[in-house]
């Protein structure tokens, strides 16, 4: 048997200072759709997600609830896991940065960096004084230029003036190599607008601090007890520690380099500049690609606790069901774009595409087949023209268009039924001639729909491939 091709895909690991909302759910569902699509096409997939649990922001959130940071993290990490189950996320592993293995491995990574040399022959990390304006919300230092009225524009808070001894990563020695690898797509950043953004950012980045003196909730550096790992070094490392690096290389050898890191633009700098620099310093290959999607707003507003417009994915799941939620999130706008989610449009879209669309068609077709006791034999799978068109959209991360292709097929079936009025036909052979190709089309659509709507697809496939096709229960009750 030929060896299966591998596919490694990740989401960001989410901060536990907040509960998961549909922003996090969005990236995680996209990752899941890709993971399932690749598995369906025979790839050996490793889909990773998890939680980012160290740093002052998380410690402050724990304190606000009068809990120890560890207890607080345990609780929120559990909530993440449950919500991802409710969305039917098929991750192969869930990493937490407070996992013992991860902590040990980050320490080993630090030792390697400490002992390593840059391509220009300098120490990779060095100790120096640091003075700067730190925003805990962002978990990063801001420059004066980035402030608006003296405040961090993302968190509307004045950053703290910090002065302390830190270890620094000599990013300056890596900038040219990174620029080259991004420019020639050896390290591919998608979409192209984000690649250009990363390239221009390279001009403005300096050596960055990789440790903190004043932070208590973090991983202690193995060679300096006064220092904790900067939360981003700890966090980025998850993509390799989850595979066992550096202590257990079996999975790592199989799956690294990652095929795609998914994220939104808020964390572009860390992933397109700091992360490749760290990897080069460790002597490791760079990610094959990163896909950086836009932030979406909710009814025109940034999502935030203070605005009271944070949507819990469970809210959608209980109203529409898992598969419909996945569909509604991915069919609304084209992946990658900054967009606005109009929640008030969900019911309309649900009814049009799912209740009256897919659900109704399956019900009509199976009712006619059962009523007339037709024996219809159709085949699952195969390289249809539909699959080719669909796969091409999927390869280009055009999820909304991939779905549109399937819905166009459903509409065609609907039209044939409207035009031929099979409910008026009594001749079984004639009926079969109309309904068999429609049933086959439906089966083809259901097959391709699996990554997006796993449960629905499975139900439809089961009904249509049964010895005797029976009328289907309503897949999507009207709302
Ligand atoms: N912990 C860091 C990531 C470390 S990865 C090594 C972090 N966490 S986060 O909880 O803030 O998650 C940010 C990510 O959540 C975004 O990059 C995106 O994937 C997702 N989103 C959060 N809100 C979102 C929107 N409103 N719109 C789209 N995606 C959103 O940053």
């Amino acid at each position: 048997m030929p060896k299966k091709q591998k596919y490694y895909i990740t989401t960001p690991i989410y901060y536990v200072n907040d509960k998961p909302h549909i922003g996090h759910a969005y990236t995680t569902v996209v990752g899941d759709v890709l993971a399932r699509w690749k598995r369906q096409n025979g790839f050996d997939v490793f889909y990773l997600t998890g939680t980012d649990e160290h740093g002052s922001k998380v410690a402050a959130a724990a304190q606000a609830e009068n809990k120890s940071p560890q207890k607080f993290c345990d609780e929120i990490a559990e909530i993440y896991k449950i919500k991802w189950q409710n969305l039917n996320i098929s991750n192969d592993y869930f990493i937490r940065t407070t996992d013992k293995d991860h902590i040990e491995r980050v320490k080993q990574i630090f030792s390697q960096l400490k002992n390593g040399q840059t391509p220009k022959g300098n120490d990779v990390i060095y100790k120096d004084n640091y003075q700067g304006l730190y925003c805990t919300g962002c978990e990063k230092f801001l420059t004066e230029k980035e402030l608006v009225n003296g405040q961090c524009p993302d968190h509307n808070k004045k950053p703290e003036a910090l002065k302390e001894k830190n270890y620094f990563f000599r990013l300056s020695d890596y900038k040219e190599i990174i620029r080259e690898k991004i420019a020639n797509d050896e390290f591919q950043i998608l979409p192209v607008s984000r690649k250009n953004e990363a390239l221009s950012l390279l001009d403005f980045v300096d050596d960055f601090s990789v440790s903190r003196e004043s932070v208590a909730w973090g991983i202690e550096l193995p060679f300096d007890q006064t220092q904790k790992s900067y939360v981003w070094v700890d966090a980025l490392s998850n993509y390799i520690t989850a595979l066992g690096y550096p202590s257990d290389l079996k999975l790592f050898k199989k799956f690294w380099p990652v095929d795609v890191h998914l994220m939104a633009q808020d964390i572009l700098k860390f992933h397109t500049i700091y992360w490749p620099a760290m990897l080069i310093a460790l002597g490791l290959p760079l990610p094959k690609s990163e896909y950086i999607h836009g932030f979406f707003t909710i009814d025109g507003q940034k999502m935030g606790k203070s605005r009271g417009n944070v949507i819990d994915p469970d809210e959608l799941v209980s109203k529409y069901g898992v598969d419909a939620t996945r569909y509604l999130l991915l069919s609304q706008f084209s992946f990658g774009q900054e967009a606005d989610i109009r929640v008030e449009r969900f019911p309309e879209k649900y009814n049009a595409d799912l209740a009256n669309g897919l659900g109704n068609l399956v019900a009509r077709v199976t009712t006619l087949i059962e009523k007339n006791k037709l024996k219809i034999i159709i085949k699952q799978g195969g390289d249809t023209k539909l699959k080719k068109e669909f796969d091409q959209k999927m390869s280009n991360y055009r999820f909304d268009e991939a779905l549109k292709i399937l819905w166009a097929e459903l509409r065609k079936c609907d039209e044939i039924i409207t035009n031929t009025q099979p409910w008026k036909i009594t001749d079984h052979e004639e009926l079969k001639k109309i309904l068999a190709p429609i049933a086959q089309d439906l089966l083809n659509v259901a097959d391709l729909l699996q990554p997006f709507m796993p449960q629905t697809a499975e139900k439809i496939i089961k009904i249509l491939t049964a010895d005797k096709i029976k009328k289907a229960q309503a897949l999507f009750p009207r709302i």
Side-chain angles (χ1 to χ4, degrees):
M1 268 240 300
K3 218 173 115 204
K4 272 190 173 184
Q5 261 180 291
K6 69 91 186 170
Y7 185 73
Y8 179 30
I9 175 167
T10 68
T11 71
I13 49 171
Y14 305 109
Y15 285 130
V16 290
N17 64 305
D18 234 343
K19 298 209 174 82
H21 57 58
I22 62 167
H24 312 118
Y26 181 70
T27 315
T28 313
V29 169
V30 167
D32 192 60
V33 167
L34 285 166
R36 286 177 185 270
W37 175 60
K38 286 289 180 181
R39 284 192 203 105
Q40 195 184 6
N41 284 285
F43 284 69
D44 196 346
V45 171
F46 197 86
Y47 177 28
L48 178 69
T49 187
T51 40
D52 190 354
E53 306 187 3
H54 289 125
S56 23
K57 175 154 77 175
V58 171
Q63 200 179 20
E65 289 196 12
N66 247 325
K67 288 175 183 152
S68 75
Q70 189 62 60
K71 180 162 188 292
F72 175 81
C73 291
D74 289 347
E75 287 174 9
I76 307 276
E78 200 47 43
I79 294 177
Y80 266 96
K81 286 185 183 169
I82 292 170
K83 293 206 195 284
W84 292 168
Q85 273 167 22
N86 294 346
L87 276 170
N88 207 356
I89 302 300
S90 64
N91 53 302
D92 295 280
Y93 193 60
F94 188 101
I95 188 162
R96 299 181 51 190
T97 54
T98 55
D99 288 340
K100 246 178 72 202
D101 282 346
H102 172 78
I103 292 173
E104 271 321 300
R105 288 169 185 159
V106 167
K107 289 184 177 177
Q108 289 161 352
I109 287 171
F110 262 101
S111 301
Q112 287 184 31
L113 293 177
K114 181 79 170 54
N115 297 328
Q117 287 213 317
T118 72
K120 295 185 181 163
N122 293 311
D123 292 335
V124 176
I125 56 180
Y126 59 94
K127 205 169 186 180
D128 204 352
N129 285 315
Y130 199 88
Q131 206 167 343
L133 296 167
Y134 196 80
C135 171
T136 315
C138 301
E139 291 284 12
K140 71 177 182 195
F141 284 101
L142 299 176
T143 59
E144 292 278 359
K145 261 198 250 150
E146 288 173 303
L147 305 183
V148 176
N149 300 325
Q151 296 191 328
C152 161
D154 283 343
H155 295 93
N156 299 324
K157 255 172 63 185
K158 207 171 148 219
E160 270 175 86
L162 275 183
K163 192 176 169 192
E164 58 173 43
K165 272 207 179 330
N166 284 179
Y167 283 92
F168 281 81
F169 185 101
R170 208 178 300 273
L171 185 61
S172 37
D173 280 12
Y174 295 89
K175 279 162 67 160
E176 283 325 303
I177 311 181
I178 295 172
R179 184 188 305 284
E180 198 186 303
K181 293 194 191 256
I182 293 179
N184 68 17
D185 286 335
E186 190 183 324
F187 169 37
Q188 189 181 30
I189 296 172
L190 293 164
V192 173
S193 56
R194 299 295 176 197
K195 168 178 169 176
N196 295 333
E197 202 176 321
L199 286 171
S200 44
L201 248 181
L202 265 170
D203 294 329
F204 298 99
V205 289
D206 294 315
D207 293 1
F208 63 99
S209 129
V210 291
S211 71
R212 307 294 312 284
E213 195 172 56
S214 53
V215 171
W217 181 238
I219 301 177
E220 191 179 295
L221 299 201
F223 43 84
D224 189 337
Q225 289 179 352
T226 69
Q227 300 280 325
K228 297 284 183 342
S229 165
Y230 174 39
V231 59
W232 269 100
V233 174
D234 168 358
L236 289 163
S237 304
N238 95 86
Y239 299 131
I240 51 178
T241 63
L243 298 178
Y245 185 88
S247 52
D248 180 355
L249 296 180
K250 197 167 150 254
L251 277 178
F252 180 77
K253 280 193 177 140
K254 176 165 173 189
F255 286 106
W256 193 260
V258 68
D259 291 83
V260 57
H261 287 314
L262 296 174
M263 77 206 75
Q265 86 257 26
D266 53 337
I267 51 180
L268 175 143
K269 177 164 96 182
F270 299 98
H271 284 81
T272 60
I273 298 176
Y274 293 1
W275 180 225
M278 282 170 61
L279 288 166
I280 299 169
L282 293 168
L284 298 176
L286 299 196
K288 287 191 200 162
S289 74
E290 295 186 349
Y291 197 104
I292 300 171
H293 65 79
F295 243 59
F296 54 73
T297 46
I298 302 287
D299 298 321
Q301 297 223 303
K302 234 180 127 173
M303 224 183 327
K305 260 194 212 156
S306 49
R307 289 190 185 83
N309 63 350
V310 178
I311 299 176
D312 179 335
D314 281 348
E315 247 176 69
L316 298 178
V317 172
S318 54
K319 185 157 177 200
Y320 302 102
V322 199
D323 280 3
T325 299
R326 294 166 62 106
Y327 177 82
L328 291 170
L329 283 177
L330 291 202
S331 62
Q332 277 243 329
F333 49 81
S334 98
F335 181 62
Q337 305 296 307
E338 281 169 44
D340 191 39
I341 290 207
R342 306 286 294 274
V343 180
E344 87 268 6
R345 287 217 193 123
F346 277 6
E348 189 192 317
K349 186 139 179 78
Y350 170 93
N351 283 332
D353 294 1
L354 300 176
N356 302 335
L358 177 62
N360 189 43
L361 179 63
V362 173
R364 276 169 105 186
V365 173
T366 52
T367 306
L368 283 166
I369 296 176
E370 181 181 351
K371 206 170 121 205
N372 293 286
K373 300 200 180 69
L374 301 182
K375 180 110 186 94
I376 283 179
I377 296 167
I378 49 180
K379 260 201 353 241
Q380 198 187 344
D383 260 331
T384 57
K385 182 168 155 282
L386 188 68
K387 178 166 165 50
K388 281 204 190 95
E389 288 171 20
F390 175 87
D391 282 351
Q392 207 223 336
K393 295 293 183 194
M394 294 294 283
S395 317
N396 292 319
Y397 300 88
R398 298 271 76 97
F399 307 115
D400 58 325
E401 289 174 19
L403 287 168
K404 277 195 191 122
I405 289 179
L406 302 187
W407 258 257
E409 203 63 22
L410 297 177
R411 260 194 308 279
K412 266 193 242 160
C413 296
D414 265 330
E415 271 165 30
I416 297 174
I417 295 183
T418 310
N419 294 338
T420 54
Q421 308 195 325
W423 54 91
K424 291 188 180 161
I425 300 174
T426 46
D427 181 79
H428 278 189
E429 278 315 304
E430 203 183 323
L431 254 184
K432 227 168 140 171
K433 260 192 217 144
I434 298 170
L435 292 177
I438 292 180
Q440 180 66 62
D441 264 357
L442 258 181
L443 184 62
N444 295 345
V445 168
D447 215 14
L448 297 175
L449 198 55
Q450 282 187 74
F452 290 92
M453 306 176 92
Q455 293 177 354
T456 307
E458 199 189 303
K459 276 190 208 156
I460 300 174
I461 292 168
K462 217 166 144 193
I463 295 167
L464 293 176
T465 53
D467 283 343
K468 235 200 243 141
I469 295 180
K470 285 211 178 97
K471 177 177 180 268
Q473 300 291 316
L475 290 170
F476 303 99
R478 232 164 248 117
I479 287 182

Short mmCIF file of all heavy atoms in Angstrom, two decimals, residues 67-101:
data_model
loop_
_atom_site.label_atom_id
_atom_site.label_comp_id
_atom_site.label_asym_id
_atom_site.label_seq_id
_atom_site.Cartn_x
_atom_site.Cartn_y
_atom_site.Cartn_z
N LYS A 67 -9.61 32.81 42.22
CA LYS A 67 -9.21 31.41 42.03
C LYS A 67 -7.72 31.35 41.79
O LYS A 67 -7.12 32.32 41.32
CB LYS A 67 -9.92 30.82 40.82
CG LYS A 67 -11.38 30.58 41.07
CD LYS A 67 -12.10 30.11 39.83
CE LYS A 67 -13.59 29.97 40.14
NZ LYS A 67 -14.41 30.16 38.96
N SER A 68 -7.12 30.20 42.08
CA SER A 68 -5.72 30.04 41.71
C SER A 68 -5.67 29.98 40.19
O SER A 68 -6.63 29.51 39.56
CB SER A 68 -5.16 28.75 42.31
OG SER A 68 -5.65 27.64 41.57
N PRO A 69 -4.56 30.47 39.59
CA PRO A 69 -4.50 30.44 38.13
C PRO A 69 -4.74 29.03 37.57
O PRO A 69 -5.46 28.86 36.59
CB PRO A 69 -3.08 30.92 37.82
CG PRO A 69 -2.61 31.63 39.02
CD PRO A 69 -3.37 31.11 40.20
N GLN A 70 -4.16 28.01 38.23
CA GLN A 70 -4.31 26.67 37.69
C GLN A 70 -5.77 26.20 37.70
O GLN A 70 -6.27 25.67 36.72
CB GLN A 70 -3.42 25.67 38.45
CG GLN A 70 -3.36 24.30 37.80
CD GLN A 70 -2.75 24.34 36.39
OE1 GLN A 70 -1.60 24.74 36.21
NE2 GLN A 70 -3.53 23.97 35.37
N LYS A 71 -6.44 26.46 38.81
CA LYS A 71 -7.84 26.05 38.91
C LYS A 71 -8.68 26.77 37.86
O LYS A 71 -9.50 26.18 37.16
CB LYS A 71 -8.37 26.34 40.32
CG LYS A 71 -9.82 25.93 40.51
CD LYS A 71 -10.18 25.83 41.99
CE LYS A 71 -11.56 25.24 42.20
NZ LYS A 71 -12.65 26.09 41.73
N PHE A 72 -8.40 28.07 37.75
CA PHE A 72 -9.12 28.88 36.78
C PHE A 72 -8.91 28.33 35.36
O PHE A 72 -9.85 28.12 34.59
CB PHE A 72 -8.62 30.33 36.89
CG PHE A 72 -9.20 31.25 35.86
CD1 PHE A 72 -10.47 31.79 36.04
CD2 PHE A 72 -8.48 31.59 34.72
CE1 PHE A 72 -11.01 32.65 35.09
CE2 PHE A 72 -9.02 32.44 33.77
CZ PHE A 72 -10.29 32.97 33.95
N CYS A 73 -7.65 28.04 35.03
CA CYS A 73 -7.33 27.51 33.69
C CYS A 73 -8.01 26.16 33.46
O CYS A 73 -8.53 25.90 32.37
CB CYS A 73 -5.82 27.34 33.52
SG CYS A 73 -4.94 28.89 33.43
N ASP A 74 -7.98 25.31 34.49
CA ASP A 74 -8.62 23.99 34.34
C ASP A 74 -10.08 24.15 33.96
O ASP A 74 -10.59 23.45 33.09
CB ASP A 74 -8.54 23.20 35.66
CG ASP A 74 -7.11 22.75 35.96
OD1 ASP A 74 -6.25 22.84 35.05
OD2 ASP A 74 -6.85 22.33 37.11
N GLU A 75 -10.73 25.10 34.62
CA GLU A 75 -12.17 25.27 34.36
C GLU A 75 -12.43 25.77 32.94
O GLU A 75 -13.28 25.25 32.23
CB GLU A 75 -12.76 26.27 35.37
CG GLU A 75 -12.90 25.66 36.75
CD GLU A 75 -13.34 26.68 37.80
OE1 GLU A 75 -13.72 27.82 37.43
OE2 GLU A 75 -13.31 26.33 38.99
N ILE A 76 -11.66 26.79 32.53
CA ILE A 76 -11.94 27.36 31.20
C ILE A 76 -11.51 26.38 30.10
O ILE A 76 -12.19 26.23 29.08
CB ILE A 76 -11.24 28.72 31.00
CG1 ILE A 76 -11.58 29.66 32.16
CG2 ILE A 76 -11.62 29.32 29.66
CD1 ILE A 76 -12.87 30.41 32.06
N ALA A 77 -10.40 25.69 30.32
CA ALA A 77 -9.96 24.73 29.29
C ALA A 77 -11.04 23.67 29.10
O ALA A 77 -11.34 23.25 27.97
CB ALA A 77 -8.64 24.09 29.70
N GLU A 78 -11.67 23.28 30.19
CA GLU A 78 -12.75 22.29 30.12
C GLU A 78 -13.93 22.84 29.31
O GLU A 78 -14.52 22.13 28.49
CB GLU A 78 -13.18 21.92 31.56
CG GLU A 78 -13.91 20.61 31.72
CD GLU A 78 -13.26 19.44 30.97
OE1 GLU A 78 -12.01 19.29 31.01
OE2 GLU A 78 -14.02 18.70 30.34
N ILE A 79 -14.23 24.10 29.52
CA ILE A 79 -15.32 24.73 28.76
C ILE A 79 -15.00 24.72 27.26
O ILE A 79 -15.85 24.42 26.43
CB ILE A 79 -15.57 26.17 29.27
CG1 ILE A 79 -16.09 26.11 30.70
CG2 ILE A 79 -16.57 26.90 28.35
CD1 ILE A 79 -16.31 27.47 31.34
N TYR A 80 -13.75 25.05 26.95
CA TYR A 80 -13.35 24.99 25.53
C TYR A 80 -13.57 23.60 24.97
O TYR A 80 -14.14 23.44 23.89
CB TYR A 80 -11.87 25.38 25.37
CG TYR A 80 -11.69 26.84 25.04
CD1 TYR A 80 -11.42 27.77 26.03
CD2 TYR A 80 -11.81 27.29 23.72
CE1 TYR A 80 -11.27 29.12 25.73
CE2 TYR A 80 -11.65 28.64 23.41
CZ TYR A 80 -11.38 29.54 24.42
OH TYR A 80 -11.25 30.87 24.10
N LYS A 81 -13.12 22.61 25.71
CA LYS A 81 -13.24 21.23 25.19
C LYS A 81 -14.70 20.87 24.94
O LYS A 81 -15.04 20.28 23.92
CB LYS A 81 -12.63 20.24 26.19
CG LYS A 81 -11.11 20.28 26.19
CD LYS A 81 -10.55 19.20 27.10
CE LYS A 81 -9.04 19.28 27.17
NZ LYS A 81 -8.48 18.44 28.22
N ILE A 82 -15.55 21.24 25.89
CA ILE A 82 -16.97 20.89 25.75
C ILE A 82 -17.60 21.62 24.56
O ILE A 82 -18.31 21.04 23.75
CB ILE A 82 -17.73 21.19 27.05
CG1 ILE A 82 -17.26 20.22 28.14
CG2 ILE A 82 -19.24 21.07 26.86
CD1 ILE A 82 -17.74 20.55 29.53
N LYS A 83 -17.27 22.90 24.45
CA LYS A 83 -17.87 23.65 23.34
C LYS A 83 -17.41 23.12 21.99
O LYS A 83 -18.16 23.11 21.02
CB LYS A 83 -17.58 25.14 23.48
CG LYS A 83 -18.29 25.73 24.68
CD LYS A 83 -18.56 27.20 24.53
CE LYS A 83 -18.93 27.83 25.85
NZ LYS A 83 -20.29 27.54 26.29
N TRP A 84 -16.17 22.68 21.92
CA TRP A 84 -15.68 22.13 20.65
C TRP A 84 -16.35 20.78 20.37
O TRP A 84 -16.65 20.46 19.23
CB TRP A 84 -14.16 22.00 20.63
CG TRP A 84 -13.39 23.29 20.62
CD1 TRP A 84 -12.04 23.41 20.83
CD2 TRP A 84 -13.85 24.64 20.35
NE1 TRP A 84 -11.66 24.73 20.73
CE2 TRP A 84 -12.74 25.50 20.44
CE3 TRP A 84 -15.09 25.21 20.07
CZ2 TRP A 84 -12.83 26.90 20.23
CZ3 TRP A 84 -15.19 26.60 19.88
CH2 TRP A 84 -14.08 27.41 19.96
N GLN A 85 -16.61 20.03 21.42
CA GLN A 85 -17.38 18.78 21.20
C GLN A 85 -18.78 19.10 20.68
O GLN A 85 -19.28 18.44 19.79
CB GLN A 85 -17.52 18.00 22.51
CG GLN A 85 -16.36 17.06 22.77
CD GLN A 85 -16.38 16.55 24.21
OE1 GLN A 85 -17.41 16.56 24.87
NE2 GLN A 85 -15.22 16.11 24.69
N ASN A 86 -19.38 20.13 21.28
CA ASN A 86 -20.73 20.49 20.84
C ASN A 86 -20.77 20.94 19.39
O ASN A 86 -21.80 20.87 18.74
CB ASN A 86 -21.30 21.60 21.73
CG ASN A 86 -21.52 21.13 23.16
OD1 ASN A 86 -21.49 19.92 23.42
ND2 ASN A 86 -21.71 22.04 24.08
N LEU A 87 -19.63 21.41 18.91
CA LEU A 87 -19.56 21.81 17.50
C LEU A 87 -19.04 20.67 16.62
O LEU A 87 -18.76 20.87 15.44
CB LEU A 87 -18.66 23.04 17.34
CG LEU A 87 -19.30 24.40 17.58
CD1 LEU A 87 -18.23 25.49 17.63
CD2 LEU A 87 -20.31 24.72 16.47
N ASN A 88 -18.88 19.52 17.23
CA ASN A 88 -18.40 18.33 16.51
C ASN A 88 -17.02 18.54 15.89
O ASN A 88 -16.76 18.17 14.75
CB ASN A 88 -19.41 17.94 15.44
CG ASN A 88 -19.35 16.46 15.12
OD1 ASN A 88 -18.50 15.73 15.65
ND2 ASN A 88 -20.23 16.00 14.24
N ILE A 89 -16.12 19.16 16.67
CA ILE A 89 -14.76 19.40 16.19
C ILE A 89 -13.95 18.11 16.36
O ILE A 89 -13.96 17.51 17.43
CB ILE A 89 -14.10 20.55 17.01
CG1 ILE A 89 -14.93 21.84 16.91
CG2 ILE A 89 -12.66 20.77 16.56
CD1 ILE A 89 -15.12 22.39 15.52
N SER A 90 -13.25 17.73 15.30
CA SER A 90 -12.58 16.43 15.31
C SER A 90 -11.08 16.56 15.53
O SER A 90 -10.30 15.90 14.86
CB SER A 90 -12.85 15.72 13.99
OG SER A 90 -12.25 16.46 12.93
N ASN A 91 -10.70 17.44 16.47
CA ASN A 91 -9.26 17.61 16.68
C ASN A 91 -8.62 16.31 17.17
O ASN A 91 -9.24 15.54 17.91
CB ASN A 91 -9.00 18.75 17.69
CG ASN A 91 -9.75 18.60 18.99
OD1 ASN A 91 -10.97 18.52 18.98
ND2 ASN A 91 -9.03 18.51 20.08
N ASP A 92 -7.38 16.10 16.75
CA ASP A 92 -6.68 14.88 17.15
C ASP A 92 -6.01 15.05 18.51
O ASP A 92 -5.66 14.08 19.16
CB ASP A 92 -5.62 14.52 16.10
CG ASP A 92 -6.30 14.17 14.80
OD1 ASP A 92 -6.77 13.04 14.68
OD2 ASP A 92 -6.39 15.05 13.90
N TYR A 93 -5.81 16.30 18.90
CA TYR A 93 -5.19 16.55 20.19
C TYR A 93 -5.62 17.92 20.67
O TYR A 93 -5.93 18.80 19.86
CB TYR A 93 -3.65 16.49 20.05
CG TYR A 93 -2.92 16.43 21.37
CD1 TYR A 93 -3.13 15.39 22.25
CD2 TYR A 93 -2.00 17.43 21.71
CE1 TYR A 93 -2.47 15.35 23.47
CE2 TYR A 93 -1.33 17.40 22.93
CZ TYR A 93 -1.56 16.35 23.81
OH TYR A 93 -0.91 16.31 25.01
N PHE A 94 -5.66 18.08 21.98
CA PHE A 94 -5.98 19.38 22.57
C PHE A 94 -4.82 19.72 23.49
O PHE A 94 -4.61 19.05 24.50
CB PHE A 94 -7.29 19.30 23.35
CG PHE A 94 -7.79 20.64 23.84
CD1 PHE A 94 -8.80 21.31 23.16
CD2 PHE A 94 -7.25 21.24 24.99
CE1 PHE A 94 -9.26 22.55 23.60
CE2 PHE A 94 -7.70 22.47 25.42
CZ PHE A 94 -8.72 23.13 24.74
N ILE A 95 -4.04 20.72 23.13
CA ILE A 95 -2.88 21.04 23.97
C ILE A 95 -3.22 22.18 24.92
O ILE A 95 -3.95 23.11 24.56
CB ILE A 95 -1.63 21.40 23.13
CG1 ILE A 95 -0.42 21.52 24.06
CG2 ILE A 95 -1.84 22.66 22.31
CD1 ILE A 95 0.92 21.45 23.35
N ARG A 96 -2.72 22.06 26.14
CA ARG A 96 -2.83 23.16 27.10
C ARG A 96 -1.40 23.55 27.47
O ARG A 96 -0.57 22.67 27.71
CB ARG A 96 -3.57 22.68 28.36
CG ARG A 96 -5.00 22.21 28.08
CD ARG A 96 -5.69 21.79 29.36
NE ARG A 96 -5.55 22.83 30.39
CZ ARG A 96 -5.89 22.67 31.67
NH1 ARG A 96 -6.38 21.52 32.10
NH2 ARG A 96 -5.73 23.65 32.54
N THR A 97 -1.14 24.86 27.55
CA THR A 97 0.25 25.25 27.82
C THR A 97 0.63 24.99 29.28
O THR A 97 1.79 25.15 29.64
CB THR A 97 0.50 26.73 27.46
OG1 THR A 97 -0.46 27.53 28.13
CG2 THR A 97 0.42 26.95 25.97
N THR A 98 -0.34 24.58 30.11
CA THR A 98 0.03 24.17 31.46
C THR A 98 0.23 22.65 31.54
O THR A 98 0.48 22.13 32.63
CB THR A 98 -1.03 24.60 32.50
OG1 THR A 98 -2.30 24.10 32.08
CG2 THR A 98 -1.11 26.11 32.62
N ASP A 99 0.14 21.95 30.43
CA ASP A 99 0.46 20.52 30.42
C ASP A 99 1.92 20.33 30.85
O ASP A 99 2.80 21.08 30.41
CB ASP A 99 0.33 19.93 29.01
CG ASP A 99 -1.11 19.79 28.55
OD1 ASP A 99 -2.00 19.78 29.42
OD2 ASP A 99 -1.33 19.72 27.33
N LYS A 100 2.13 19.29 31.64
CA LYS A 100 3.50 19.05 32.14
C LYS A 100 4.50 18.86 30.98
O LYS A 100 5.59 19.42 30.98
CB LYS A 100 3.52 17.81 33.04
CG LYS A 100 3.84 18.15 34.47
CD LYS A 100 3.82 16.93 35.37
CE LYS A 100 5.00 16.00 35.14
NZ LYS A 100 4.73 14.62 35.59
N ASP A 101 4.08 18.07 30.00
CA ASP A 101 4.96 17.80 28.86
C ASP A 101 5.33 19.09 28.14
O ASP A 101 6.48 19.30 27.76
CB ASP A 101 4.24 16.91 27.83
CG ASP A 101 4.24 15.46 28.27
OD1 ASP A 101 5.00 15.13 29.21
OD2 ASP A 101 3.46 14.67 27.70
#
